[in-house]
């Protein structure tokens, strides 16, 4: 019925408002954890900054999220033997925020760095590589770099054709594709 549509829309808006409020609460708690950081707790610092950036992005504050992810990458760069998974994740997350800020050149740069890190450090993690290629393809397309986007799309399609198993419960895997 036509009267059900406004109620559904209201429920959707209420849900989104609740998600933003929850993200703001998480961001506040992450900021508090960040302020309480003690020297030597680098892994906790990276986790906190990544959590903070993610919460800020979900709360609709991409400029703040950008600063958090950039600080996390700077922290990661000071580590003698950085965890490549963190490096790739942080580049991917920064790329996502830059995309939201419509800095497509910056987003493509960060997403390419994430993809290169996955290819070098985790060549058997086909789901991450597939997701990174799909993200990069979308960004390149948004930037008007359609020839490059087609190449990444073709590479992603080849991975799918080769039998990459996507967990249907994994929201990131199914949403990104």
């Amino acid at each position: 019925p036509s009267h059900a549509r406004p109620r559904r829309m209201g429920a959707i808006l209420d849900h989104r408002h609740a998600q933003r409020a929850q993200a703001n609460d998480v961001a506040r708690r992450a900021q508090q954890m960040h302020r309480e950081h003690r020297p030597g707790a680098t892994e906790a610092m990276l986790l906190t900054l990544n959590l903070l950036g993610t919460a800020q992005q979900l709360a609709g504050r991409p400029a703040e999220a950008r600063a958090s992810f950039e600080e996390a990458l700077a922290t990661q760069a000071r580590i003698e033997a950085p965890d490549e998974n963190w490096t790739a994740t942080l580049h991917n997350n920064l790329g996502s925020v830059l995309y939201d800020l419509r800095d497509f050149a910056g987003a493509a740069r960060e997403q390419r760095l994430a993809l290169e890190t996955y290819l070098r450090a985790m060549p058997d993690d086909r789901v991450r590589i597939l997701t990174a290629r799909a993200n990069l393809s979308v960004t390149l397309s948004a930037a008007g770099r359609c020839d490059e986007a087609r190449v990444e799309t073709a590479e992603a399609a080849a991975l799918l054709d080769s039998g990459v198993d996507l967990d249907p419960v994994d929201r990131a895997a199914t949403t990104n594709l």
Side-chain angles (χ1 to χ4, degrees):
S2 62
H3 65 283
R5 179 171 282 143
R7 274 189 269 158
R8 275 187 284 161
M9 183 57 88
I12 290 169
L13 292 175
D14 287 345
H15 179 69
R16 287 196 177 154
H17 179 71
Q19 283 181 317
R20 283 185 181 233
Q22 183 179 18
N24 280 322
D25 182 53
V26 170
R28 279 190 292 280
R29 283 185 280 154
Q31 284 172 325
Q32 182 63 34
M33 289 169 59
H34 179 62
R35 282 191 292 272
E36 295 171 359
H37 170 68
R38 290 181 295 275
T42 306
E43 186 74 19
M45 180 70 152
L46 289 173
L47 178 62
T48 300
L49 287 167
N50 187 56
L51 175 63
L52 178 59
T54 301
Q56 289 165 328
Q57 185 176 15
L58 288 172
R61 300 185 340 242
E64 292 174 45
R66 177 185 187 166
S68 294
F69 291 131
E70 286 174 341
E71 185 176 349
L73 279 165
T75 300
Q76 178 77 342
R78 291 190 298 270
I79 298 172
E80 189 172 318
D83 180 339
E84 296 281 18
N85 183 38
W86 266 117
T87 302
T89 297
L90 293 169
H91 281 298
N92 186 62
N93 290 349
L94 179 56
S96 175
V97 167
L98 292 172
Y99 184 94
D100 288 349
L101 291 168
R102 303 188 59 78
D103 176 0
F104 301 126
R109 179 188 65 247
E110 295 300 324
Q111 290 168 342
R112 189 170 302 283
L113 287 169
L115 174 60
E116 290 168 356
T117 303
Y118 287 134
L119 289 169
R120 179 184 66 253
M122 295 165 264
D124 296 330
D125 194 337
R126 295 158 48 100
V127 171
R128 287 182 192 260
I129 292 168
L130 174 63
T131 301
R133 286 198 184 282
N135 289 343
L136 181 57
S137 175
V138 168
T139 299
L140 291 169
S141 181
R145 296 162 56 186
C146 296
D147 290 339
E148 293 173 78
R150 278 189 212 92
V151 169
E152 294 304 330
T153 300
E155 291 287 337
L159 272 173
L160 275 176
D161 289 344
S162 70
V164 171
D165 289 327
L166 296 178
D167 181 354
V169 178
D170 182 352
R171 196 181 115 237
T174 55
T175 300
N176 288 339
L177 302 175

